[in-house]
Amino acid sequence: MSTPVLMPQMGESIAEGTIVRWIKQVGDKVERDEPLFEISTDKVDAEIPSPIAGVLTEIRHKEGETVPVNSIVAVIGPAGARAEAPAAAAAPRAEAPAPPPARQQGDGSSAPLSATPPPAPAPKAQPERAEPAPDKAAAATAAPQSSEEALRQRSSPLVRRIAKEHNVDISAIQGTGMAGRVTKDDILGFISKGGATGAPPAAGSGTSTPAPATRPAPAAPAPQKPAAPLAGQTAPMSVMRKKIAEHMVASRRTSAHVHSVFEVNFHRVAQIREARKADYERAGAKLTYLSFILKAAIDALRAVPIVNASVDGDNIVYHKAINVGIAVALDWGLIVPVIKSADEKNLLGLSRAVADLANRARSKQLKPDEVSGGTFTITNPGVFGALFGMPIISQPQVAILGVGAVEKRPVVVDDAIGIRPMAYLSLGYDHRIIDGAVADEFLSHIKKTLETWDPSDA
């Protein structure tokens, strides 16, 4: 008996996923829970395991296709089952001759192979009929049924939301993404050029707007010689890269970003870390500066709860749970796994959680609920040597903490010059919700905790 393989729902707000690659091919044997294919969504990249052992007999969606959740993407048959012929190889019906074979283009799309058809005898004149041919009528009837599915294939949820807000017909936009997919840049460019449809005039206004006076068209500019293309290699954006781009642009357009920066003395934390890191390693954890910063940030979120809020339309949602996302840099992008109920963990528990989530993020083993539900985010550009960053807020959150590199610098200590491990912490916050005084209070709380750390908390 064959078993269908469905596109999983990788998070409560996820409606679709893009197939990045097929790890198994038609005819391959698969074991239960063995990675079958890899997908990318708005939230996470993940390898999807096989639900059953058997033979992969059919693949219904190719790499690069965006598929709605719970759609069948493949079929697994029992051991010894034969692979089914692809749909494109099936014999055509008599009334619908097969189109010319497709040729793969450089952008991943396909186009019919050019061929010269043999000359056909001239058809006899037929009387005109008012009714369309049955096959054309059927096609016209079927088109509206597939329009919504085609729209989903051509755009992401973010693009469709923007289109709805600006009353834009996505089908009128020429997409530049993979397989003609409409990207965030496509729809914003379309709107900026006047492509959005304005609201209709109010009924019964009794007045009409006179047509603007026509102006002579400006003279066409003289043609310019195109610049020679720069040497290099061109590659399409990955699915994750496109999602990151969409989210970052959307966040900039949504939140009033402001940043505050505090300098923190890590001398006390460095002493405690040096004294306790061997004990932590024996317990299977790595005691890092980030562990201390995470614990101090959680304490500050309790003290200044508005920073642990999010925006829902015209409402502010104050969260009871403190779920902290930790940005993890990958070779192919960035992902933010979330430590749920972080305020219930001690320093050892937080250290273990950070290491576990980071390792599983890099091996694409995260679960859907581990990349959603965050209420606050920490990103650590300092691991690469950056003094500080100005991070972009993860919507719909209202703040994000950036951690700079901890390095020794000369500072004034008790009216004398001393060498201390110092670092800059930056807070990016949404000025619609958080005032500068509140942001500084939050950072001040973190600074005080780190500079006066109680050894018993380690």
Side-chain angles (χ1 to χ4, degrees):
M1 180 178 179
S2 297
T3 301
V5 180
L6 305 181
M7 172 63 70
Q9 184 165 13
M10 304 296 286
E12 58 184 1
S13 62
I14 301 301
E16 60 191 12
T18 300
I19 299 175
V20 177
R21 68 184 178 103
W22 282 98
I23 301 172
K24 296 292 184 178
Q25 302 299 323
V26 172
D28 290 351
K29 294 182 180 180
V30 294
E31 300 295 333
R32 181 181 176 88
D33 295 329
E34 184 178 8
L36 188 61
F37 62 104
E38 182 182 335
I39 69 169
S40 182
T41 72
D42 289 1
K43 298 289 187 181
V44 65
D45 280 8
E47 293 179 350
I48 306 304
S50 173
I52 194 172
V55 175
L56 181 59
T57 60
E58 184 181 359
I59 291 177
R60 296 193 179 181
H61 294 278
K62 299 180 297 183
E63 294 178 356
E65 289 190 25
T66 300
V67 184
V69 299
N70 297 325
S71 298
I72 298 176
V73 297
V75 177
I76 296 179
R82 293 185 178 182
E84 297 182 13
R93 295 180 297 176
E95 69 274 16
R103 176 178 60 202
Q104 192 73 18
Q105 302 295 306
D107 60 355
S109 60
S110 59
L113 288 173
S114 59
T116 303
K124 296 181 180 181
Q126 297 291 337
E128 295 184 0
R129 294 186 298 175
E131 297 180 358
D135 55 343
K136 293 183 179 179
T141 303
Q145 297 176 356
S146 60
S147 61
E148 182 177 353
E149 181 179 353
L151 180 63
R152 297 182 65 85
Q153 295 287 340
R154 281 171 45 83
S155 60
S156 68
L158 177 63
V159 169
R160 293 195 291 274
R161 177 171 62 81
I162 295 174
K164 183 177 180 181
E165 292 175 353
H166 293 271
N167 197 18
V168 171
D169 181 7
I170 296 180
S171 62
I173 303 174
Q174 181 66 38
T176 61
M178 184 179 295
R181 186 175 176 84
V182 177
T183 67
K184 177 72 176 301
D185 290 339
D186 293 335
I187 190 169
L188 292 180
F190 183 81
I191 294 171
S192 66
K193 294 177 181 177
T197 303
S205 61
T207 61
S208 59
T209 304
T214 58
R215 297 180 180 177
Q224 297 180 356
K225 185 178 180 180
L230 297 176
Q233 182 180 4
T234 301
M237 282 189 182
S238 66
V239 175
M240 173 178 277
R241 193 77 262 159
K242 290 180 181 179
K243 298 299 183 184
I244 292 173
E246 291 176 1
H247 291 173
M248 295 300 96
V249 173
S251 182
R252 277 293 192 185
R253 291 170 58 91
T254 301
S255 296
H257 279 72
V258 181
H259 293 82
S260 292
V261 180
F262 272 47
E263 188 177 28
V264 178
N265 187 334
F266 277 82
H267 178 67
R268 189 175 183 87
V269 167
Q271 291 178 323
I272 297 172
R273 177 173 174 264
E274 187 64 28
R276 298 297 307 277
K277 66 179 183 180
D279 297 335
Y280 274 63
E281 289 174 358
R282 284 192 291 270
K286 189 175 181 181
L287 186 58
T288 64
Y289 286 117
L290 181 60
S291 302
F292 289 91
I293 295 168
L294 175 57
K295 183 67 168 63
I298 292 169
D299 293 342
L301 289 171
R302 285 201 201 99
V304 190
I306 193 172
V307 182
N308 193 51
S310 63
V311 178
D312 182 12
D314 293 331
N315 299 319
I316 303 174
V317 181
Y318 297 89
H319 301 289
K320 291 183 178 179
I322 296 179
N323 301 333
V324 182
I326 304 294
V328 177
L330 309 173
D331 292 339
W332 56 95
L334 183 75
I335 198 168
V336 185
V338 178
I339 302 175
K340 300 294 180 64
S341 301
D343 54 323
E344 298 178 3
K345 300 180 184 296
N346 58 16
L347 192 62
L348 176 60
L350 292 172
S351 301
R352 286 173 171 168
V354 170
D356 173 62
L357 290 175
N359 290 335
R360 289 194 291 116
R362 296 186 177 100
S363 60
K364 299 183 179 180
Q365 300 299 317
L366 290 174
K367 299 176 183 177
D369 62 341
E370 292 176 323
V371 291
S372 61
T375 61
F376 182 77
T377 300
I378 297 177
T379 183
N380 185 15
V383 72
F384 301 107
L387 289 181
F388 58 84
M390 298 296 182
I392 298 176
I393 299 166
S394 177
Q395 298 296 322
Q397 298 171 24
V398 296
I400 180 171
L401 183 68
V403 178
V406 179
E407 55 183 19
K408 292 182 178 180
R409 290 197 286 268
V411 294
V412 176
V413 181
D414 297 330
D415 294 332
I417 300 297
I419 304 298
R420 295 289 186 269
M422 308 292 292
Y424 295 105
L425 301 183
S426 60
L427 184 72
Y429 57 96
D430 190 341
H431 211 340
R432 300 176 304 166
I433 310 300
I434 299 176
D435 294 328
V438 175
D440 292 345
E441 178 187 358
F442 178 80
L443 283 173
S444 179
H445 195 289
I446 295 178
K447 176 182 173 72
K448 181 179 179 181
T449 301
L450 293 172
E451 293 183 346
T452 61
W453 193 280
D454 185 351
S456 64
D457 290 341

